Amino acid sequence: MSKPRARTSSRRKSAPATRAARRHSSSAGAPAEPVEPDTRERILAAGAALVGAKGFNGCGLSEILQRAGVPKGSFYHYFESKEDFGVALIERARDEYLDSLRTHLGDRKRSPLARLRSIFEDTRAECESNGPTVECLIPKLALETATLSEPVHAAVKCAYQQWSALIAQVIREAQSAGEVARSHDPDHLADVLVMLWEGAAVRMQIDRSIGPLDDFLAFVFDTLLPARR
Amino acid sequence: MSKPRARTSSRRKSAPATRAARRHSSSAGAPAEPVEPDTRERILAAGAALVGAKGFNGCGLSEILQRAGVPKGSFYHYFESKEDFGVALIERARDEYLDSLRTHLGDRKRSPLARLRSIFEDTRAECESNGPTVECLIPKLALETATLSEPVHAAVKCAYQQWSALIAQVIREAQSAGEVARSHDPDHLADVLVMLWEGAAVRMQIDRSIGPLDDFLAFVFDTLLPARR
DNA sequence: GGCCGGATTAGACCAGTCGTCTAGAACTCC
DNA sequence: GGAGTTCTAGACGACTGGTCTAATCCGGCC
């Protein structure tokens, strides 16, 4: 029953987008793109939007490709299978998110606690403007496919570990700076923050309101972290 | 784009299960079902297992029906559509969970805090024995379909509100009994607990370990609730 | 017994699924 | 200019998806 499955993990094969096809208009949307993004990225972007909205199994390849303005034949040039595509989607979302995290956390002009706070408030602001529909792709894909596909599972797990580690690091700095009670174990506290944030994000989608994110911020920064002892 | 969609919300059409269903209990009470469970319930049970494992869009009707030993033609006698079936799935999971919650919380022989703790520890124990794969159907379906289907969304939302309300209630009792710091607002605290638990459940599936649930228990009952101030 | 009418089932139906495959266009490098 | 690689193009196939209509079952009624 199970397909043969071609072991290799994936990892963008090289730099396939030589010069990024100039012609080939057909692109429905993009009005003034300086250099139109390479095909692979276009597929991923369309996929992220669609999968975020309708789930991984909820949308078909054809739909994604049509939205990306890319023919089917190209898809299988860049990805081995839909599953492989899912992994790429997660890696992309993870890299994007972790990069933004590192940017915030590396801002030495602010105190560690302020930096920590900023990463959550930033997302909150984004959700406020884009509507609470903004989807966290990762938990979504995680719940939907993690039980089925080992590669997807691995990608998700890795994303969470890195995320937790970054938070733990800034907590340590905040403790050194005396901004956070030393009684908290940084690693456990980081896990708690990540879990709570995750839960808030899920709840936000359910309530269709950013209220849960506000609850998160209020609880974490007004109650939890400043706690004596 | 969107299908015509047959207006009526759903709500089990009447009493389709003529005799078969011993009036389809619904009042959880039903002790021992001598007669084999009615068809509708069999479909729901099979669906819960399969959807929990593979997602709502990840498994087809035929698969569910085959597992339930019910012919395909019968499905549309009991449900209007697959979406309607999804709603029923959620309502079933919600009723089951909330009932078990009420049982625990109504146990007057224990202190409010002990009761609160027991509902989480109970699930933890269950996950430990059944493997961490145990799926919370509700968040899964919520993330997967809530953006698409209004009825599903409503069912999920309702489930969370009731859940939160139950937790808030027992927190109030615990505060009256002096077991939990009064500085916490019961409603907000309940939301935080629910979010955190939700996040822990998601994380459990990702880590494939009940570690996150233990982190939850330790954090909530050793650190958060006993907090002075 | 003959008939009726609702409950239940069987299976056809087609749109849509993922994935394959062959042609050829576009570009690079010799 | 020509050879070779990369990428695009989209028809195609095998299959499954959810849905629905037409037939069957079965107990009750005259």
Side-chain angles (χ1 to χ4, degrees), chain B residues 19 60-62 72 76 81-82:
Chain B
R19 121 216 18 310
L61 252 20
S62 357
K72 193 153 178 186
Y76 283 86
S81 63
K82 197 188 182 191

Side-chain angles (χ1 to χ4, degrees), chain A residues 14 20 175:
Chain A
S14 63
Q175 284 179 328

